[in-house]
Amino acid sequence: MKRGEFVIGVLGGMGTYATINMFDRYAGIFPAEKEWDRPRIIIDNNCTMPSRVRAILYKENVDILIEQMTDSIRGLIAAGATRIILGCNTSHVFLPDVYEKFPEAKDHVVDMVECCAEQLLNENVRSVYLLATEGTILSRIYDDTLKKYGIECVTPTVNEFSDLRECIEAVKQKKDPEYVKSIFLRFFTRYDRCILGCTELPILYEKYKEEIKVDKVYDPLDLILKKIKKEFDTLHS
């Protein structure tokens, strides 16, 4: 593949501010003196898709969600995308269904959960704390993936799901009530290593990181962009 043929596709809109943040980080991870030194990126901000969390919790609009995810990925590939990012951790739960409907997608999608697990394995991490939507946590997608690598995944309790939801919704709605800060910081007082397993959470983390004292925080979206960057750089070497 020639460098100019390397195209990143993003299935975004889950939510929109997280997608904007991802695009900003793409620009930083792919620095360039001239714009054409960066890879082309195509973003489908498909904010009309049904809730991923409600699809997991209540089996609500599951078929519609899978169909829309599949259509977006098919459209990104048709537009030239060679590597596709899903801008939502929870959406990865439905990838097996997407692959069943559209097998070609598997050759293009870079799995965020697998990417994070590989990084933890490379660092010989044996246990990690996961902050994510209740849908992601209850689906056990991180637990099951990390277990393959011998890594324990610790999660908040069911009683804490409402606090997680407050933090995530604050970003989705671009609101910044003071109490969200105290809720968010409390989650970082228990374990030394933490996964930000929802693409809204890195926005809060960036805002309050000076007050967070943990050994390591893993942002799967950051890891996946850096993984794609390495692949892109090999085309230039």
Side-chain angles (χ1 to χ4, degrees):
M1 181 192 303
K2 295 179 181 179
R3 187 180 172 94
E5 296 171 344
F6 191 98
V7 179
I8 299 170
V10 178
L11 173 48
M14 307 175 285
T16 295
Y17 287 114
T19 302
I20 292 169
N21 177 258
M22 184 231 67
F23 186 47
D24 182 63
R25 282 194 282 168
Y26 145 83
I29 288 172
F30 291 87
E33 291 187 12
K34 301 295 183 182
E35 286 296 333
W36 52 80
D37 291 331
R38 291 190 175 97
R40 181 183 174 191
I41 184 168
I42 303 169
I43 299 175
D44 180 358
N45 198 64
N46 194 347
C47 51
T48 63
M49 286 191 297
S51 165
R52 282 66 56 200
V53 172
R54 293 186 67 85
I56 291 169
L57 298 182
Y58 311 117
K59 308 301 180 187
E60 182 180 286
N61 294 322
V62 175
D63 291 341
I64 297 173
L65 173 60
I66 293 167
E67 189 65 40
Q68 289 198 20
M69 284 181 62
T70 304
D71 286 348
S72 283
I73 292 171
R74 184 183 284 110
L76 288 167
I77 293 172
T82 54
R83 295 292 176 268
I84 293 175
I85 299 170
L86 305 187
C88 167
N89 287 261
T90 312
S91 66
H92 286 68
V93 173
F94 303 98
L95 273 179
D97 300 289
V98 171
Y99 295 155
E100 187 173 338
K101 292 178 72 68
F102 183 43
E104 185 182 346
K106 197 166 188 177
D107 297 327
H108 295 76
V109 173
V110 186
D111 191 306
M112 191 183 297
V113 182
E114 283 286 348
C115 183
C116 185
E118 289 166 6
Q119 182 65 31
L120 293 171
L121 181 66
N122 290 340
E123 295 184 20
N124 199 32
V125 174
R126 300 269 60 93
S127 181
V128 68
Y129 187 53
L130 172 68
L131 294 178
T133 66
E134 56 204 275
T136 296
I137 292 171
L138 292 176
S139 76
R140 297 187 58 83
I141 187 170
Y142 268 96
D143 303 67
D144 294 342
T145 303
L146 292 171
K147 187 177 180 180
K148 294 188 304 183
Y149 297 96
I151 302 169
E152 177 189 25
C153 182
V154 184
T155 61
T157 66
V158 172
N159 291 335
E160 296 174 296
F161 285 174
S162 60
D163 285 342
L164 278 168
R165 201 180 309 122
E166 287 276 8
C167 294
I168 293 166
E169 287 301 316
V171 176
K172 284 182 177 290
Q173 298 171 22
K174 208 175 184 180
K175 295 179 179 178
D176 192 22
E178 184 60 28
Y179 68 86
V180 167
K181 174 182 176 181
S182 60
I183 292 172
F184 187 64
L185 293 179
R186 280 202 303 271
F187 283 112
F188 294 90
T189 59
R190 310 167 191 183
Y191 298 92
D192 292 332
R193 294 177 182 270
C194 176
I195 298 173
L196 301 176
C198 171
T199 49
E200 272 77 29
L201 294 179
I203 297 175
L204 283 182
Y205 175 75
E206 188 63 28
K207 188 175 181 65
Y208 303 126
K209 66 181 179 182
E210 297 303 321
E211 300 178 57
I212 294 173
K213 308 299 179 184
V214 296
D215 289 346
K216 190 72 175 284
V217 171
Y218 297 91
D219 177 358
L221 183 56
D222 188 66
L223 293 174
I224 204 171
L225 283 168
K226 288 177 177 176
K227 179 176 181 176
I228 291 173
K229 172 67 160 53
K230 287 182 181 178
E231 184 178 356
F232 179 70
D233 287 345
T234 62
L235 299 175
H236 207 48
S237 59

